[in-house]
């Protein structure tokens, strides 16, 4: 509270099942969003219990459009603010601490929209969703993470010491569609072995780092090889340095993995010799930082991605690494930027285009046979939903319908002219008409 006393009713929300049931990523983003709104009210001597829709509208103006705000936000960020504030006030109303939520949805306007709907930014989708074509991704990867110049030549001044790690991580997200937290917290036991007989291998995301539930994912054999190369080179070198400097020996609060059984239970031993068992699905991003394995050379972290010092890399660090890559591209006048979730979007777009292409053009079957195929194997949208781990098909459609909305009609109308076109050609074709897809000229 402004007078320095703890506000018990606010603190109780963060201990509630309503907040604790959110994913770790949602908790980490909702808490500061709620704090900022309560602070906005506090500096005006307004008690949050008395906040009305008008106060929320003032906040929306200050947050997005007020010239006196040094850090205004876009539509997508304010949509998240609104979701966090609604979650907070819905719970407080249920507890009886407020009579009406300022984000109440039962007050229709003359146009038929609720107050909160009028505050919901209309441009969220176009702001949130960005895709990269395969050639744009490769150019961003090579320049931003790989040490190449904009013209394709190797940069003689490049001193990147983590190229293998960074390139392997980008390839992992690009080929699998994993979320940042999912891909950034992988442990060695979750990376499948390379099978030369398949292009994609199946693995599983732990429930505590996934968004709501454990699920299968598929990752390309090429990405697995990149990870394996990183493990035996850059990662091994970082571990050797840490071992020689005694970094692991100094750790006391760690768990050493003995085995992972067929039921995905982790059997471990602590430093004092105590043994225990914990489900792999229950290990969240923070837990995974403290699990180690023993090899012939000694202790090493169980997590795949490590810092130069040989310590487990917190997954949020990748946001800084991608931001640095974006700055490098900007400096070299390569007009492409990327953040981790864009690789997930791009994966989904590639898979969707590939599946639609297969259904509509390359199967050589009649419409009746195509309907039967879809009945047996599923609609392309359902398959992409499975690959992304979306619980609701509408989430998949809402995210990825816009850039492919005319694709099936185009395939039908221009069938002969596009007979020899590739998947990459179709994505390039879509990029020309969809402003959210970033493409680049052929080098």
């Amino acid at each position: 509270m402004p007078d320095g006393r703890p506000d018990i009713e606010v603190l109780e929300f963060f201990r509630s099942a309503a907040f604790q049931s959110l994913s770790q990523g949602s908790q980490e983003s909702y808490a500061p969003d709620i704090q900022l709104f309560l602070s906005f009210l506090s500096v005006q001597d307004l008690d949050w219990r008395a906040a009305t829709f008008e106060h929320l509208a003032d906040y929306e103006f200050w947050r997005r459009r007020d010239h006196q705000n040094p850090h205004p936000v876009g539509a997508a960020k304010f949509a998240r603010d609104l979701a966090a504030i609604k979650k907070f006030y819905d719970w407080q109303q249920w507890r009886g601490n407020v009579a009406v939520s300022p984000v109440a949805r039962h007050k229709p306007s003359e146009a038929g929209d609720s107050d909160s709907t009028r505050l919901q930014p209309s441009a969220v989708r176009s702001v949130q969703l960005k895709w990269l074509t395969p050639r744009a991704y490769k150019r961003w990867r090579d320049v931003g993470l790989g040490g190449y110049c904009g013209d394709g030549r190797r940069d003689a001044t490049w001193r990147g010491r983590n190229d293998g790690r960074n390139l392997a991580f980008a390839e992992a997200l690009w080929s699998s569609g994993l979320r940042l937290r999912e891909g950034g917290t992988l442990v060695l036991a979750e990376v499948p072995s390379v099978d030369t007989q398949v292009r994609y291998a199946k693995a599983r995301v732990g429930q505590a780092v996934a968004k709501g539930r454990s699920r299968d994912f598929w990752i390309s054999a090429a990405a697995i090889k990149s990870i394996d190369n990183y493990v035996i080179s850059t990662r091994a070198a970082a571990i050797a340095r840490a071992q020689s400097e005694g970094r692991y020996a100094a750790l006391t609060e760690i768990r050493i993995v003995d085995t992972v059984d067929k039921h995905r239970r982790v059997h471990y031993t602590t430093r004092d010799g105590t043994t225990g068992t914990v489900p792999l699905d229950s290990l969240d991003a923070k837990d995974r930082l403290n699990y180690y394995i023993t090899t012939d050379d000694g202790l090493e972290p169980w997590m795949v991605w490590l810092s130069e010092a040989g310590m487990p890399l917190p997954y949020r660090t990748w946001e800084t690494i991608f931001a640095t890559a974006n700055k490098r591209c900007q400096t070299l006048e390569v007009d492409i930027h990327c953040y981790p979730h864009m690789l997930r979007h791009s994966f989904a777009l590639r898979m969707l285009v590939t599946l639609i292409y297969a259904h509509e053009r390359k199967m050589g079957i009649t419409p009746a046979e195509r309907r039967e195929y879809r009945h047996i194997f599923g609609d392309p949208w359902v398959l992409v939903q499975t690959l992304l781990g979306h619980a609701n098909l509408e989430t998949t459609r809402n995210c990825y319908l816009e850039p492919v909305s005319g694709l099936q009609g185009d395939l039908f109308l221009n069938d002969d002219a596009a007979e020899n076109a590739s998947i990459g050609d179709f994505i390039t074709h879509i990029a020309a008409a969809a402003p959210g897809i970033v493409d680049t000229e052929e080098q």
Side-chain angles (χ1 to χ4, degrees), residues 368-390:
E369 290 171 327
R370 185 178 299 126
R371 285 193 295 272
E372 179 66 13
Y373 181 91
R374 289 190 175 188
H375 176 72
I376 296 172
F377 296 104
D379 184 272
W381 288 102
V382 177
L383 292 174
V384 173
Q385 176 196 5
T386 301
L387 292 172
L388 293 174
H390 284 159

Side-chain angles (χ1 to χ4, degrees), residues 225-304:
K225 288 180 181 178
S226 293
I227 295 174
D228 287 346
N229 289 337
Y230 158 65
V231 168
I232 64 176
S233 58
T234 310
R235 186 179 187 276
I239 290 171
R241 286 194 298 272
Q243 289 171 340
S244 66
E245 295 169 3
R247 292 181 184 273
Y248 305 146
L251 300 174
T252 57
E253 302 297 324
I254 63 172
R255 294 178 173 184
I256 302 169
V257 177
D258 299 316
T259 185
V260 180
D261 64 31
K262 64 180 181 180
H263 300 294
R264 290 172 55 83
R265 291 190 298 249
V266 181
H267 300 263
Y268 65 87
T269 303
T270 64
R271 283 292 205 187
D272 63 7
T274 303
T275 60
T277 304
V278 63
L280 179 55
D281 280 332
S282 71
L283 300 181
D284 63 22
K286 291 182 180 178
D287 294 331
R288 290 166 177 244
L289 297 172
N290 296 316
Y291 278 78
Y292 283 69
I293 59 174
T294 303
T295 69
D296 293 340
D297 297 318
L299 279 179
E300 68 175 64
W302 200 26
M303 280 183 59
V304 173

Side-chain angles (χ1 to χ4, degrees), residues 60 64-65 73-83 105 116-131 339 341-342 345 395 398-400 402-403 435-436:
E60 188 267 350
R64 296 188 61 201
R65 293 184 292 274
V73 299
K77 178 64 183 72
F78 184 76
R80 195 186 74 183
D81 287 3
L82 200 60
R105 295 183 179 273
S116 58
T117 300
R118 286 191 282 124
L119 278 187
Q120 186 70 35
S122 60
V124 169
R125 181 180 301 171
S126 62
V127 171
Q128 280 185 317
L129 300 181
K130 298 290 183 182
W131 301 265
Y339 49 88
H341 212 63
M342 280 180 69
H345 295 159
T395 301
N398 290 341
C399 287
Y400 304 107
E402 183 178 355

Side-chain angles (χ1 to χ4, degrees), residues 139-153:
R139 191 161 189 225
W140 174 85
R141 178 200 65 191
D142 292 346
V143 175
L145 299 176
Y148 284 84
C149 297
D151 58 7
R153 293 180 297 107

Side-chain angles (χ1 to χ4, degrees), residues 167-180:
L167 292 170
F169 180 78
E171 288 296 298
L173 264 57
W174 171 260
S175 81
S176 68
L178 287 171
R179 298 179 177 92
L180 172 59

